[in-house]
Amino acid sequence: MSNDINIKNKKAYYEYHILDKYIAGVQLLGTEIKSIRQSKANIGDAFCAFLNDGLYLRNMHIAEYSHGSFYNHEAKRDRKLLLTKRELGKLKVKGEEKGFTIIPLKIFINERGFAKVEIALAQGKKDFDKRESIKERDTKRELSRVLKF
């Protein structure tokens, strides 16, 4: 089984300070995992929220499976994340504080063939922080150019 599926949320590192990372399982339907294996998912606008009985991944788009019949899934439904009670407790306490949010960083398939989501407890960056990260990235790029010659 190929493990080269690696769908990333590139905006997350630019817009948030990443504080803690967790690996969570995802409760998926059959056609959803088939679409993820074809890399037809988007987590650019996705976020995590606590609903009545657990942590859910909201606003994640998984394209409909091309060979699916009328059993196909909804593209933007809420998907439950599978974490331990201790991890859920930590995330719930921290996530309710002002300024903190839980965001997905990447979706991948582990060695056993299960889809996993790397989520992070994050804090939003201010505009000057974003400018600082752009400056940092540019200096790294310039330094690598100089060292290459």
Side-chain angles (χ1 to χ4, degrees):
M1 187 160 296
S2 67
N3 293 355
D4 56 349
I5 285 79
N6 207 0
I7 302 160
K8 294 180 182 170
N9 186 356
K10 295 178 183 177
K11 279 196 316 186
Y13 291 99
Y14 177 70
E15 293 183 355
Y16 298 99
H17 290 292
I18 307 300
L19 303 175
D20 276 338
K21 292 182 182 179
Y22 298 93
I23 304 291
V26 192
Q27 205 171 22
L28 296 172
L29 300 175
T31 53
E32 288 176 329
I33 186 66
K34 290 177 182 183
S35 289
I36 287 176
R37 286 192 177 125
Q38 292 177 346
S39 294
K40 294 187 175 178
N42 182 7
I43 56 173
D45 298 329
F47 63 97
C48 300
F50 280 95
L51 297 178
N52 40 5
D53 62 337
L55 186 63
Y56 284 83
L57 186 59
R58 306 194 74 184
N59 225 14
M60 178 173 77
H61 183 272
I62 299 178
E64 287 191 356
Y65 183 55
S66 58
H67 301 300
S69 60
F70 59 91
Y71 292 114
N72 241 335
H73 61 276
E74 289 180 45
K76 281 203 170 192
R77 71 176 189 89
D78 295 344
R79 293 160 180 97
K80 187 171 185 177
L81 294 177
L82 307 171
L83 290 161
T84 62
K85 283 185 181 179
R86 188 178 338 159
E87 290 172 334
L88 282 173
K90 284 181 187 176
L91 283 171
K92 189 164 188 145
V93 168
K94 284 286 193 180
E96 289 175 351
E97 290 180 21
K98 187 172 175 21
F100 289 101
T101 187
I102 305 166
I103 54 167
L105 297 177
K106 72 177 179 178
I107 301 173
F108 61 96
I109 307 273
N110 71 356
E111 56 278 345
R112 292 177 56 197
F114 295 125
K116 300 286 183 178
V117 177
E118 184 178 10
I119 60 172
L121 182 66
Q123 189 174 24
K125 284 185 181 178
K126 306 283 187 235
D127 284 338
F128 61 86
D129 291 333
K130 292 178 185 178
R131 285 192 293 269
E132 196 173 293
S133 60
I134 290 171
K135 252 187 249 177
E136 210 173 278
R137 189 173 53 218
D138 288 343
T139 55
K140 280 184 184 178
R141 192 176 297 133
E142 288 293 325
L143 187 63
S144 67
R145 263 192 219 136
V146 170
L147 292 176
K148 193 161 63 168
F149 290 112

